[in-house]
Amino acid sequence: MNRKIRKLIKVIGIEAFCLLLLTMVWFVGSQKKAEGGEEYQNMAEQVVTPTDPPIQVTPVPTTVPTAIPTAAVTVTPEPTVVLTEETEEEGQEGTESSYGTSNYSVEEGGVDEAYIATLSMTQPGSLIKSAGAVDVVYYMQTDDRWGSLYYGDDTSTDTIAKYGCGPTSMAIVVSSLTDIKIDPVQMCAWAAQNHYWYPASGSLHSLIPDCAKAFGLKSEGVINDADAAGKITKALSEGKLIVALMGKGHFTSGGHFIVLRGITEDGKILVADANSEENTNTEWDVETITSEAKAWANANGPFWIISK
């Protein structure tokens, strides 16, 4: 074989080798590109689960909210010399009542003739008679005829039904022991005019002895001590009436005036409770009366023995 043919074969072999090498390089590159695309596609299809919850961002207000002021609490001191009568039902609002004008002076004493002379058109009460008791003219402070009327001055919203036990008890006493007939409205007017009304509380304790004097009766204060039961039973057996200031118990949850009107043969106490017909029709042990009466009261109370 001559030199030219051998040279041609050599050149063709080199070119074939190069072509084969290029073909292999191209094939390998194509394979890797395909694998990379498939891997990218697999990554794109994966669901990524976050390891932490998303952060909640609360927007900051651009203005500062205005604070609502808290209303100041006003503390009203409790009166030191008052009766606070509490009943289960609130009294209804009504109209103010007024009778006559009183010129009574506690210091001067005597009977309030000027006010008594103004009394007219007195509303009747119920007559209660019991063996061993004074016959009493019984009034209830919750009576529909006056329960919703005001007790006090022209600024008062205190109704007789809720706050009028003191004057109503004294209306019972005066109407029963004297020839003077006076109903709860008239007695409330007298008490208010002479400054025995205490707003939103009831009546001053001194109403009882001072009212007795103003209407011509005698009054003796009895403190609630070991001798009280004996003095009460003795006075009732003598035909006298007693106004008692009761505390928490059968008669009230706060403070309440009632009238003790007699004593039975077996020593039970009879009462006239201006706020309860049931209590009025019940016989009571003297121990119940003394234990539930206020331990102390102004004007030598909490019991006032009243007689002619």
Side-chain angles (χ1 to χ4, degrees):
M1 189 177 296
N2 58 28
R3 292 178 60 188
K4 288 183 178 181
I5 295 173
R6 287 196 303 268
K7 186 177 180 179
L8 179 61
I9 293 172
K10 184 177 181 180
V11 171
I12 292 172
I14 293 172
E15 289 179 351
F17 175 79
C18 290
L19 180 60
L20 178 61
L21 183 60
L22 289 172
T23 301
M24 292 178 65
V25 171
W26 173 83
F27 178 81
V28 172
S30 298
Q31 191 71 19
K32 288 184 176 181
K33 184 176 181 180
E35 292 176 357
E38 184 178 357
E39 182 179 358
Y40 179 81
Q41 181 66 26
N42 292 337
M43 290 177 62
E45 292 176 355
Q46 290 178 358
V47 178
V48 179
T49 302
T51 56
D52 296 315
I55 299 175
Q56 300 286 340
V57 179
T58 303
V60 179
T62 56
T63 59
V64 179
T66 303
I68 300 175
T70 302
V73 178
T74 302
V75 178
T76 304
E78 293 186 0
T80 56
V81 189
V82 298
L83 157 76
T84 301
E85 181 202 0
E86 297 180 4
T87 59
E88 293 297 326
E89 299 293 333
E90 291 288 334
Q92 299 176 353
E93 292 188 357
T95 57
E96 181 193 1
S97 61
S98 177
Y99 282 80
T101 300
S102 176
N103 296 316
Y104 180 71
S105 170
V106 176
E107 291 75 15
E108 293 178 4
V111 178
D112 192 351
E113 298 285 358
Y115 187 79
I116 294 172
T118 68
L119 297 176
S120 62
M121 302 297 291
T122 299
Q123 296 295 312
S126 301
L127 184 62
I128 300 179
K129 294 185 176 183
S130 302
V134 175
D135 295 344
V136 298
V137 179
Y138 178 59
Y139 289 108
M140 290 196 70
Q141 65 195 86
T142 55
D143 194 302
D144 290 341
R145 290 175 290 178
W146 49 70
S148 62
L149 300 181
Y150 295 147
Y151 170 32
D153 60 23
D154 56 4
T155 68
S156 175
T157 58
D158 297 350
T159 61
I160 296 176
K162 187 175 182 181
Y163 295 101
C165 65
T168 304
S169 293
M170 288 310 298
I172 293 173
V173 169
V174 171
S175 296
S176 301
L177 292 182
T178 74
D179 294 330
I180 302 167
K181 300 306 174 187
I182 183 169
D183 62 39
V185 179
Q186 296 165 333
M187 189 61 83
C188 281
W190 183 88
Q193 290 170 13
N194 291 286
H195 313 294
Y196 295 101
W197 165 65
Y198 199 104
S201 293
S203 303
L204 299 179
H205 301 164
S206 55
L207 166 69
I208 307 306
D210 291 354
C211 181
K213 181 187 295 184
F215 288 87
L217 295 169
K218 300 175 183 178
S219 175
E220 176 189 352
V222 175
I223 62 175
N224 198 359
D225 60 10
D227 298 327
K231 292 179 180 179
I232 288 172
T233 56
K234 181 176 183 296
L236 293 176
S237 64
E238 292 173 349
K240 300 174 182 178
L241 295 179
I242 300 174
V243 176
L245 177 56
M246 306 304 293
K248 185 175 181 180
H250 290 83
F251 298 93
T252 179
S253 58
H256 181 51
F257 287 114
I258 64 172
V259 178
L260 311 185
R261 59 186 178 90
I263 186 169
T264 66
E265 290 183 357
D266 55 355
K268 300 290 186 179
I269 304 298
L270 302 174
V271 309
D273 183 348
N275 193 49
S276 173
E277 290 183 338
E278 181 179 357
N279 289 344
T280 300
N281 294 324
T282 301
E283 297 178 353
W284 301 90
D285 293 329
V286 66
E287 292 80 9
T288 300
I289 300 298
T290 55
S291 64
E292 293 187 7
K294 292 286 188 178
W296 174 90
N298 279 303
N300 298 318
F303 302 106
W304 295 270
I305 298 172
I306 303 177
S307 59
K308 298 179 181 179

